[in-house]
Structures are given as C-alpha cells and as structure tokens.
Amino acid sequence: MKTWTFSIEGMSCGGCVSRVERALADAPGVSGVSANLAERTARVVSEANDPHELLKRLDAAGYPATTTSRTLSVPGLSCGSCVSRVEAAARSVSGILDANANLAERSLTIKAINADAIATLHTALRQAGYPADETGAPDAPEPNDEIAELKRATLLAAIFTLPLFVLEMGGHLVPAFHMWLHELIGMRTLWVIQFGLALVVMAGPGTRFHLKGWPSLLRGTPDMNALVAVGTGAAFAYSTIATFVPVLLPETARAVYFEAAALIVTLILTGRWLEARARARTGDAIRALSDLQPPTALRQNADGSFEETPLAAVQPGDILELRAGAKVPVDGMVSQGTGSVDESMLTGEPLPVLKSKDDELKAGTINGSARLIMTATHVGADTALARIIEMVRAAQSTKLPVQDLVNRIAAWFVPVVLALAVVTAIIWIALTGDVTQALVASVSVLIVACPCAMGLAVPVSIMVGMGRAARQGILFRDGSALQRLATVRSVAFDKTGTLTKGAPVVSNVTAADGISQQTVLELAGAAERGSNHPLAQAILDASTGILPTATDLVERPGFGITARVDGAEIALGNQEFMRELGIAQPSVPDNSSETLVHLARDGAWTGTLHISDTIRPEAADAVTWLSAAGIETALISGDRKAAAQSVAAQIGLSRVHAEQLPDGKIASLKDLPEPTAFVGDGINDAPVLAASDVGIALGSGTDAAIGAAQVVLMRPDLNSVPAALRLSRATMRNIYQNLFWAFGYNVALLPVAAGGLVPFGGPMLSPALAAGAMALSSVFVLSNALRLRRAG
C-alpha cells in the first residue's frame, strides 16, 4: 500500500471535503481517504503505484491537485544512455508524475505532486549515480566554469600525452629515432618513462571517467564513461603488466599501449571541451533574454527619495524611477511623465512607443531620454519577460517523439557494445591467438561506440532552433509544435486584427429616422466600454463626449453584446445576431470592404456603424510565400462574406469561409488539408486555435488566444508565419541530419573497429583513431545544430 498526499487549493468548505473524499474513495485499490480542510490536503492510501488515476478523479470532481514543476541541474549527464537512466530513476519515485532529461542542458525537468516527492527524488538520483542540484543553486556549475575546467584538464592531459606520443609513435615513423632511443636508455626504461607519463594522465585528467564509469558498471547501468574507463583501463593495465611483470604474457604479446590510453583520454577531453563550448552557445537566446532585465531598480523610499534596490525586493505597488536610457525592471504603469520607450526587443516594433500616464510598461524594454515614474504591477516570474523566458526554456526542454526512441536505443547500446567488445576479443584470440590484436580490437570497439552523438542529436537542434525563433520573436510552447508546424499543408487566417492591422475606424454611421448619428455612437460606445475587441475600440474612439453607463452586459463571442443603457435594452452585433434576436434591418449602403455593426434599442433597429480596417502591408507577401511553398491558404472569419472576400482577393487567399461562429470556424478548418495551422488573435479564435494542429497567435492578441495557441508571434508582422515555418522545417532537417550521422557513424565504424575489414585486406582501427572519431562525432552534431543560428 502507498500513501499519496495531494495539495488541493480549491477546498473551501465541508462540502468540498466530502466531494473530494467521495471522488477519491471510488478509485480502484483505495482503502482509505482523509481530506483536511485546514491544510487543504487529501491523503489517500491505495494499492496503486501511479497517482495519475487519482489526479484524473480530482480534476473530474472540480478539485484539481496542485502540482510542482522543477528543473534540476544534473552535471553527470554525459551521453544518451544517461538520459534514459536518469528519467527511469526519477519516474520510479512515488509522486513524480513526469520527468524529462535534457542532455544538451544537462538538466532534468520534473512534475511532482508535492515537495516530499522532490526530496525523495534527490536521494534516488544520488543512488543512481546522478546527483542533482536545484537550478540556480550556488553549487550548480555555470557553463563557463565547466568550459574552463575542461580546458585545464585537456591542456594538462595534452602536456603529458605529447612526449608520450613522440616517444612511442616517433620511433615507428622514424626508425633512426627508434634506434637512438633504445641505444640511449633501453626499451625497458623507455616503457617505464611512458608508464609515468601515462599514469599522470590517467590519475589526473582521466580520473573523471573512472570515478563515474566503474560505479555505473558495477550498478549494471554502464554509460559512456564506463566505455572509456574499461577501454583505457584495459590498455593501461595490459601495458603495465608488460612493463613490470612481462612473464605473465607470451613473449610475442609483450607490447605497451600507454600512448593509446593517454591519447584516448586527451582526445575525449578535447571533444568534451569543444562540446561544452558549443553547448554553451545553444543557450544564448535564454541568456540574451535574461540580460534584458536589470539586476536592480530605483525604488521610492518613505521620504520620497529613490534608492537602488535588488530586483528581488521589488513588490507590486512600489514606485520606481526610470532614468533616461534605463531598462524597465518590472511590468508596471506610468504614473508620472511622458516619453518614448523602445519595445523592439519584445515586440519587434522598430519605432519607439510614446508612453504617458496609465500606459503599460514591460520589463526588459528601454526608456528613452525622458525621466518616467512607474508603479510596479507584476514582478519576478509574473512579468511578461519572465513568462517569455520560461516559455522558451520549457520549449527547449521538451522532447520530440523521435527522441524517446533514440534514448531507448542509447540505453541498450552501451551494454551491447560491452558485450561486443568481449566477443571481439574472444574471436580474435580464438582465430589468431594474438592477444595484442585482440586487445586493440576490443578497446577500439569500446571507444568508437560512444553514444554521445545519439543523445545530443535531437536536444541541441531543438535548443538552437527554439533560441533562433525566440530572437525572431517567435515563441514555441513545446517541441511537438515545432515538429507539427514543419508538416502543415494548410494555413488559415482570421481577418480582423490578424490580416488587418486591428486598428479599425468608424468610417460612416447610418441612423434610423429621428435618431442622430451621435446617439447611435453614444449607445454603441456605452455597450462596448470595457471590451478589448478591435471593433469595440474603433467604436469607442468615434464616441466623443460623456458616455452613458451600461449595465447587465452579456457578450456573445462571434455575435455581439447586449446591455441596458438608460433603462433601454441595447443589442449591438452582426447581422446574424440581429436575425437571431428577431430585429428587422433596412437596407443600408454597403461597401464590401467594410464591417457592419448593427445597433438595436428595445427590439428596434436604431443604426448601423460602418467600420473599415487597413490590411497589413506584409500580408500579401506572407500568403504568396506560403502558396509558393505548396501550402494551401484560407480566410476563416466571423465577418460578412462580402468583407471577407474583399480582403481575401486583395491578399491572394485561395479559400474564404465567412460569417463563421467559433464552432463554424472549427468545422471550416476541418475542410482544409491536414495538418492545419490557424493564425488568430481574438477571444473567438481561441477554440479554433486549440483545435488546429498548430495554433499561431499574435502576441498583440487577447490572453485567451495566446493561451490556446502553441506558437506566439511577438512581432506585429505576418512574415513571422513563413519564418516560423522555415525555422521548423530547418530544425527538423537538422535533427534528421544529426540522427543519420550519429547512427550511421556507429553502424559504419563498429565493424571496422572490431577488425571486420582485416580479412579482406582492410585496415585495423587503432584505439587512438577511434577516440578521435568518437570525439569528432559529437562535435559534428553540435556544429551542425549551431548552423540553425542563421536559419529563418
């Protein structure tokens, strides 16, 4: 039996407690349930090894459990097989709902039901040989620290390996040098000198492989370090026996491979050093975004003066000073002053935006030449910049479906290679009796088969691709959206606020007999006050003077709005809304490019507002590119058919679905070739954004649209849609290239390392060359992924 403890914030009364207990008590295997209102927790005693069913029942009952997400730094992650073992160790812990390891970042992202599960997780990871640190903890290694440490280790290994290589291989390359050495110091003394040089490399820089490799081998979970430890250890041990106890070996088998052991360590360290440098560059996007936020802010004291304060100490409601050229530290509102603010780093809009009292300010933007006073509204993780950083980080840490397969293969790959190395040695000894050649072949197999390139193939491409996208103002919520976008066959657009600028204006007002245009505008403005729809803003801009107060507002997304104004029942909306309410409308002048919003008072038509909008200048270019790329385009809008067709004709869209309500938009989307993408910005677009294979929301859109989308475009530029598609395709191509290299490299070189070409007159791969090839394979994968920094 297991005891699960869930935090349930939604419990607020005794009735809640009863409902929670009933929902959990009905689950299979549950023998006891106790909900505590004071602590807002529920304890469940159950036979279940997995809490997911219990969580589903809580969700269905309307009392979802509060879960905790955490990202841990796991410095010990070094190859693809490590990824699978770390994830398996994490998922074996009771209360860990999900775990995803990222080799490129050497991190583990987990989802847990409570803090106790996270504490147990740390113990499980230590026992598995992969101790973890909380990200950002003082003892968590910084990328630059790792690079510097690997550089020192590589240089130290190289200093002692170089003379060792010259002593051994110089004699093979220059026979005269070989004879001179033997006459000068003798072969035995030469071997002792080589032993001393190799010992420094093995016991110094090479210790890292043995400290991690042998324990993993003893645990039955060998990783890449185990391959290196066994390979170099075998070469060093064999050479040591040949040097100091030669009688244990046949006379024909007395040879030393000190230079191979040292050179393998040096080459692999070189590869890891280059890998660490390249891997650090994959996180440039996150670091660039993080650097947008200053570490301190000028906060107002009680006496009115301003004092520099750590950003962590700033709270909502604090008054902050923005000096000329300063970065905005947190989200807030201008309380004093007027000036321009550069928001290009968040929105991509190149022109500074004029800000005055009550205008919004976003963290990371840059104040112009005027001094501003602001009131903090959102701080820390609640700022828009922090949410963007978290979105990019989360997207970089996600997995594609192909990566799970790669990690499973890598987990089995190391044990198979160890077995293959043993079989190789046995076959060589059985067929030739040559122990030396058997050792060379088996060590070469161990060294050449490192699964690092396999484990890095997918995550580094995702990290660089997502980072490149973020720099272009394109935010992917997860890797699966990136993969799906690369395969879309059709892209549909909303009209108002998406294909158009979303800043419509009232171009004309048609009023009923005896009603003034001003009255129509005042009634419409009163009903629309408080709405953030672009059409509502146009009506409010046209409604001058003091507006009457509206009450009992009821909004129908895709239709219109009803309200009570000055005791009268007001209805404002499209033609379908009027028809549904049974309100007859006379024929009014109709320009096909205009949107008509009808107003009724007490069940009678009162007037019609003609609203026009400007098509985004880049819309036609974006549609042209999509069409040229073989992607079908469409316009799916709730607007009138004439207005929608007029916009579609100007832009070049191939299909038009007009006068669609939210559910109609979903049905229209299903008529398009799949997979589909939908681009929108409004509340009524949220359902179709969620229903599409890839929902793409404009960052200037509503929170509902942004929340439902898988891709968010921060820049008000529709060319970001083709850019996102190009990036997704380039990233997927890059991933497949990396996987082809990683698997092709092992498939091609393993038989060569085992000596499979020797019977046919082919070469025998030396351990040193195997180490060089292995190191280059990881560097190739990383270098290939870094090409994505110029993609799009």
Side-chain angles (χ1 to χ4, degrees):
M1 304 296 286
K2 290 183 177 292
T3 300
W4 305 98
T5 302
F6 302 104
S7 296
I8 306 173
E9 296 296 330
M11 287 197 301
S12 58
C13 65
C16 298
V17 172
S18 299
R19 285 188 284 273
V20 166
E21 290 181 343
R22 282 199 304 271
L24 294 171
D26 292 339
V30 171
S31 60
V33 179
S34 175
N36 187 314
L37 179 59
E39 295 181 350
R40 292 186 178 178
T41 61
R43 295 180 72 245
V44 184
V45 180
S46 171
E47 296 175 353
N49 290 318
D50 188 340
H52 281 87
E53 177 61 28
L54 300 174
L55 291 170
K56 287 180 182 177
R57 289 176 176 268
L58 287 171
D59 286 340
Y63 296 93
T66 302
T67 58
T68 300
S69 295
R70 200 74 59 85
T71 298
L72 309 178
S73 171
V74 188
L77 279 175
S78 58
C79 65
S81 59
C82 300
V83 170
S84 294
R85 294 190 181 98
V86 166
E87 289 178 349
R91 289 170 180 160
S92 69
V93 175
S94 296
I96 298 298
L97 303 174
D98 195 18
N100 289 299
N102 187 314
L103 177 58
E105 282 191 329
R106 293 188 180 172
S107 65
L108 174 68
T109 301
I110 56 98
K111 185 178 180 182
I113 61 173
N114 51 42
D116 292 340
I118 297 176
T120 307
L121 169 68
H122 279 281
T123 302
L125 291 176
R126 280 195 300 272
Q127 291 174 347
Y130 298 94
D133 301 314
E134 299 286 338
T135 297
D139 53 352
E142 291 292 327
N144 289 337
D145 295 338
E146 181 189 9
I147 293 170
E149 199 277 329
L150 282 169
K151 179 181 179 180
R152 286 192 297 269
T154 302
L155 292 177
L156 178 61
I159 288 171
F160 287 91
T161 299
L162 182 61
L164 177 56
F165 183 81
V166 171
L167 287 176
E168 179 61 28
M169 301 307 295
H172 292 289
L173 297 174
V174 183
F177 179 68
H178 175 77
M179 293 178 61
W180 176 74
L181 279 176
H182 278 254
E183 290 175 0
L184 181 66
I185 56 179
M187 184 181 71
R188 186 69 53 193
T189 305
L190 183 63
W191 285 5
V192 171
I193 294 173
Q194 291 184 30
F195 166 80
L197 292 171
L199 181 62
V200 174
V201 176
M202 296 290 287
T207 304
R208 70 190 65 228
F209 301 112
H210 298 276
L211 290 178
K212 295 179 180 178
W214 291 108
S216 72
L217 192 61
L218 294 174
R219 287 193 302 269
T221 57
D223 60 4
M224 170 230 172
N225 294 296
L227 296 181
V228 178
V230 172
T232 58
F236 184 81
Y238 183 92
S239 303
T240 302
I241 292 172
T243 301
F244 297 104
V245 199
V247 294
L248 297 179
L249 299 173
E251 188 171 347
T252 56
R254 295 171 187 170
V256 295
Y257 295 94
F258 289 122
E259 93 290 346
L263 190 57
I264 288 168
V265 169
T266 303
L267 288 173
I268 293 177
L269 283 173
T270 302
R272 286 197 176 182
W273 174 30
L274 296 175
E275 176 186 320
R277 290 180 59 187
R279 192 172 59 247
R281 293 169 67 190
T282 65
D284 283 351
I286 293 289
R287 284 189 288 275
L289 287 170
S290 299
D291 289 344
L292 292 176
Q293 198 160 30
T296 61
L298 291 173
R299 185 173 65 178
Q300 189 177 52
N301 295 320
D303 60 1
S305 63
F306 290 91
E307 181 181 7
E308 191 167 358
T309 306
L311 200 60
V314 176
Q315 299 296 320
D318 285 350
I319 305 300
L320 308 176
E321 179 186 22
L322 290 179
R323 293 175 179 171
K327 291 180 180 178
V328 179
V330 296
D331 290 357
M333 306 281 287
V334 177
S335 52
Q336 292 180 37
T338 300
S340 297
V341 175
D342 181 3
E343 297 183 336
S344 60
M345 62 289 302
L346 290 184
T347 66
E349 179 61 49
L351 298 177
V353 181
L354 186 65
K355 300 288 184 179
S356 57
K357 184 174 172 58
D358 294 334
D359 284 340
E360 281 189 335
L361 294 171
K362 297 294 185 183
T365 57
I366 300 175
N367 186 30
S369 57
R371 174 179 177 268
L372 297 177
I373 303 299
M374 66 175 290
T375 302
T377 57
H378 296 87
V379 302
D382 293 330
T383 65
L385 177 61
R387 291 196 298 271
I388 290 172
I389 293 172
E390 184 54 36
M391 190 185 296
V392 175
R393 180 176 286 116
Q396 288 183 336
S397 300
T398 56
K399 289 184 179 179
L400 302 185
V402 68
Q403 190 175 345
D404 287 325
L405 175 63
V406 172
N407 289 342
R408 286 197 297 271
I409 293 173
W412 285 99
F413 191 75
V414 175
V416 169
V417 168
L418 286 169
L420 182 60
V422 173
V423 171
T424 298
I426 293 173
I427 291 175
W428 270 96
I429 294 173
L431 294 179
T432 66
D434 191 334
V435 178
T436 301
Q437 287 297 329
L439 175 68
V440 170
S442 61
V443 170
S444 295
V445 167
L446 290 171
I447 299 303
V448 82
C450 170
C452 285
M454 289 184 197
L456 288 168
V458 178
V460 293
S461 293
I462 292 176
M463 287 186 66
V464 180
M466 296 287 193
R468 174 61 175 167
R471 286 177 177 272
Q472 292 186 312
I474 303 166
L475 303 181
F476 288 88
R477 290 194 185 276
D478 54 51
S480 59
L482 180 92
Q483 183 173 1
R484 288 195 303 271
L485 185 59
T487 63
V488 297
R489 296 175 56 207
S490 58
V491 176
F493 295 86
D494 174 47
K495 184 177 81 70
T496 305
T498 302
L499 290 175
T500 61
K501 288 185 175 181
V505 295
V506 176
S507 55
N508 188 26
V509 176
T510 302
D513 292 339
I515 304 295
S516 68
Q517 291 184 340
Q518 183 64 26
T519 300
V520 173
L521 287 170
E522 287 179 357
L523 292 174
E528 291 286 18
R529 188 160 48 187
S531 174
N532 58 2
H533 193 281
L535 296 182
Q537 190 58 50
I539 294 171
L540 288 169
D541 290 343
S543 305
T544 58
I546 300 174
L547 298 177
T549 301
T551 59
D552 302 332
L553 280 86
V554 178
E555 188 169 356
R556 290 277 306 280
F559 281 94
I561 190 170
T562 60
R564 180 174 289 275
V565 179
D566 291 339
E569 292 288 342
I570 299 298
L572 186 71
N574 57 25
Q575 187 174 8
E576 180 65 26
F577 192 35
M578 295 294 114
R579 191 179 296 121
E580 180 184 294
L581 296 175
I583 299 170
Q585 307 157 65
S587 176
V588 295
D590 181 4
N591 184 321
S592 62
S593 64
E594 293 178 335
T595 297
L596 302 182
V597 178
H598 304 284
L599 175 71
R601 179 168 60 181
D602 291 331
W605 176 79
T606 305
T608 297
L609 296 95
H610 301 247
I611 301 177
S612 58
D613 199 356
T614 305
I615 296 174
R616 293 183 185 272
E618 77 282 359
D621 291 339
V623 170
T624 300
W625 187 94
L626 292 170
S627 300
I631 296 172
E632 187 164 335
T633 58
L635 172 60
I636 300 178
S637 173
D639 206 349
R640 294 176 311 116
K641 188 173 184 179
Q645 287 179 334
S646 174
V647 170
Q650 294 178 64
I651 294 175
L653 291 164
S654 55
R655 291 196 188 188
V656 178
H657 299 266
E659 300 177 1
Q660 299 294 318
L661 303 178
D663 55 346
K665 288 187 175 184
I666 295 174
S668 298
L669 191 70
K670 291 180 179 178
D671 289 339
L672 300 176
E674 295 182 344
T676 59
F678 184 83
V679 187
D681 72 315
I683 293 176
N684 60 332
D685 294 327
V688 69
L689 283 167
S692 61
D693 293 293
V694 182
I696 304 175
L698 271 63
S700 56
T702 63
D703 289 343
I706 293 172
Q710 294 86 47
V711 183
V712 180
L713 308 180
M714 297 304 296
R715 298 178 180 176
D717 185 348
L718 285 178
N719 281 322
S720 293
V721 176
L725 196 87
R726 287 193 295 268
L727 268 170
S728 65
R729 289 180 172 180
T731 303
M732 293 310 299
R733 267 198 315 271
N734 196 272
I735 286 172
Y736 293 136
Q737 290 165 358
N738 285 348
L739 289 174
F740 177 81
W741 169 262
F743 284 102
Y745 155 84
N746 281 291
V747 169
L749 289 189
L750 266 175
V752 177
L757 297 181
V758 173
F760 305 100
M764 184 81 178
L765 189 65
S766 73
L769 287 176
M774 183 275 289
L776 286 174
S777 69
S778 294
V779 174
F780 173 87
V781 165
L782 284 158
S783 301
N784 188 50
L786 288 173
R787 292 191 306 114
L788 288 171
R789 300 174 76 190
R790 298 184 297 274

